[in-house]
């Protein structure tokens, strides 16, 4: 596959500045409220991510961060969005439940035709990744397996359920990255055996990450089909991506990792045509 040249597609993303970022509670194994966080480092790492996305020519919208919601920077969890329809998250933990009304308001005020909060526990694009004709759906820690039917019905797209088994990789987007419509990279041991069978069948040539890379949150990568944003320390994965014609771009999210998040967690993709897009 070496020498293959990729074409990226212009994307539309929703981000939330880490104005109120902090680690004050623990709802995943990465979070230790006893450790100090540096607000200015979180902000500069997030600004770098924002800058890379806009420099690549993508549309980036912002939702206002709210005080008292330190995890709101992780916009990927806010909803699943495609073609003017938004299925807003229902968070498992009380600490994040206050984010849902903010997302409902954001989509409604922007003229999305169909906006509703998920009736099952559903942590948005953290657990539901759109790829080609299918939505990969993670469960095991945050979103319920019951959320799949609702997603399938709401978007009229086939959903492929995957069970996560390692608490460090508690959202699907920490264990697998969608690179383009037919390619992914993932950590095999983060998945239950039946789910791994589904993945190997669907993506026989996928890039397998190591546990060390997954622990850098290198699988929490943002890809536009050509450029792949991931931590600079993930040099082996970057080389593998290059070999397949992708262009890796380093962006560090070490401060956000103290809350168990990385680049993809901060980036909600608004798939398809959105209200206000030029006709
Ligand atoms: N502290 C946040 C939580 O535990 C991190 C969310 C990371 N988001 C993601 N899409 N993986 O909910």
């Amino acid at each position: 596959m070496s020498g293959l040249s990729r074409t990226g597609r212009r994307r539309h993303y929703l981000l939330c500045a880490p104005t109120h970022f902090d680690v004050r509670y623990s709802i995943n194994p990465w979070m230790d409220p006893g450790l100090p966080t540096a607000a200015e480092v979180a902000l500069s790492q997030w600004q770098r991510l924002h800058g890379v996305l806009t420099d690549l020519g993508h549309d980036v919208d912002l939702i206002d961060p709210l005080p008292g919601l330190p995890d709101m920077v992780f916009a990927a969890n806010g909803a699943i969005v495609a073609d003017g329809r938004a299925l807003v998250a229902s968070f498992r933990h009380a600490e994040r439940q206050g984010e849902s009304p903010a997302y409902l308001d954001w989509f409604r005020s922007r003229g999305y035709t169909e906006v509703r909060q998920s009736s099952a526990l559903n942590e948005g694009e953290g657990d539901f990744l759109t790829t080609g004709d299918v939505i990969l759906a993670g469960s095991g820690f945050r979103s319920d397996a019951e959320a799949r039917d609702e997603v399938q019905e709401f978007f009229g797209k086939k959903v492929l359920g995957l069970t996560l088994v390692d608490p460090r990789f508690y959202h699907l987007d920490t264990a697998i990255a969608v690179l383009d419509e037919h390619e992914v990279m993932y950590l095999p041991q983060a998945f239950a055996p039946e789910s791994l069978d589904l993945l190997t069948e669907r993506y026989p040539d996928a890039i397998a990450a190591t546990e060390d890379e997954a622990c850098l949150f290198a699988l929490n990568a943002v890809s536009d089909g050509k450029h792949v944003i991931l931590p600079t320390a993930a040099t082996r994965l970057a080389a593998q991506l290059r070999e397949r014609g992708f262009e890796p771009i380093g962006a560090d999210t070490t401060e956000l990792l103290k809350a168990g998040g990385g680049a993809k967690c901060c980036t909600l993709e608004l798939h398809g045509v959105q209200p206000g897009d030029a006709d």
Side-chain angles (χ1 to χ4, degrees):
M1 295 266 262
S2 183
L4 185 69
S5 147
R6 305 261 172 191
T7 317
R9 201 159 36 78
R10 184 168 164 201
R11 310 288 174 126
H12 199 146
Y13 298 116
L14 178 61
L15 269 66
C16 180
T19 314
H20 307 288
F21 175 74
D22 201 355
V23 179
R24 276 187 249 143
Y25 48 79
S26 180
I27 55 172
N28 70 55
W30 302 91
M31 299 176 88
D32 179 353
L35 293 178
T37 50
E40 60 301 341
V41 181
L43 184 62
S44 75
Q45 292 183 338
W46 179 86
Q47 281 167 336
R48 154 98 182 137
L49 171 67
H50 183 277
V52 171
L53 294 172
T54 52
D55 288 352
L56 288 172
H58 301 302
D59 291 318
V60 180
D61 282 333
L62 296 173
I63 181 169
D64 287 337
L66 295 174
L69 295 171
D71 274 334
M72 199 167 162
V73 59
F74 302 116
N77 295 121
I80 310 168
V81 185
D83 297 321
R85 302 171 70 81
L87 187 61
V88 168
S90 287
F91 288 91
R92 178 169 295 273
H93 298 286
E95 290 87 340
R96 296 200 66 184
Q97 286 164 1
E99 297 178 37
S100 300
Y103 282 94
L104 287 166
D105 285 353
W106 196 90
F107 291 110
R108 285 186 179 135
S109 69
R110 274 156 185 83
Y112 280 69
T113 50
E114 212 37 70
V115 181
R116 121 148 87 93
Q117 186 172 3
S118 172
S119 44
L121 290 181
N122 174 328
E123 299 208 346
E125 211 176 36
D127 273 328
F128 292 88
L129 295 169
T130 300
T131 162
D133 55 346
V134 134
I135 298 179
L136 306 178
S139 62
F141 296 101
R142 295 297 186 84
S143 301
D144 273 344
E146 291 74 68
R148 291 173 195 162
D149 290 346
E150 194 176 2
V151 170
Q152 182 152 318
E153 203 186 301
F154 192 79
F155 294 103
K157 237 177 170 183
K158 193 171 171 250
V159 166
L160 190 76
L162 298 168
T163 305
L164 297 163
V165 294
D166 185 328
R168 293 170 302 171
F169 310 114
Y170 57 95
H171 275 141
L172 186 64
D173 69 357
T174 67
I176 188 167
V178 170
L179 299 170
D180 75 6
E181 306 208 331
H182 309 285
E183 277 176 90
V184 298
M185 55 181 183
Y186 66 96
L187 178 70
Q189 57 269 46
F191 293 90
E194 319 80 64
S195 304
L196 194 51
D197 288 346
L198 290 177
L199 286 172
T200 43
E201 193 187 316
R202 192 173 177 86
Y203 305 106
D205 302 320
I207 300 176
T210 64
E211 195 167 311
D212 287 353
E213 290 165 330
C215 285
L216 296 169
F217 266 42
L219 294 172
N220 198 244
V222 180
S223 173
D224 64 10
K226 177 183 174 98
H227 311 95
V228 183
I229 306 170
L230 79 175
T232 43
T235 51
R236 194 199 68 105
L237 268 189
Q240 284 185 292
L241 288 166
R242 240 178 251 114
E243 241 171 64
R244 292 173 186 230
F246 292 101
E247 275 181 36
I249 301 177
D252 285 323
T253 45
T254 46
E255 196 58 29
L256 299 165
L257 184 52
K258 293 180 182 169
K264 177 67 194 83
C265 301
C266 294
T267 311
L268 174 62
E269 184 166 348
L270 310 175
H271 294 273
V273 181
Q274 307 307 320
D277 281 358
D279 305 302

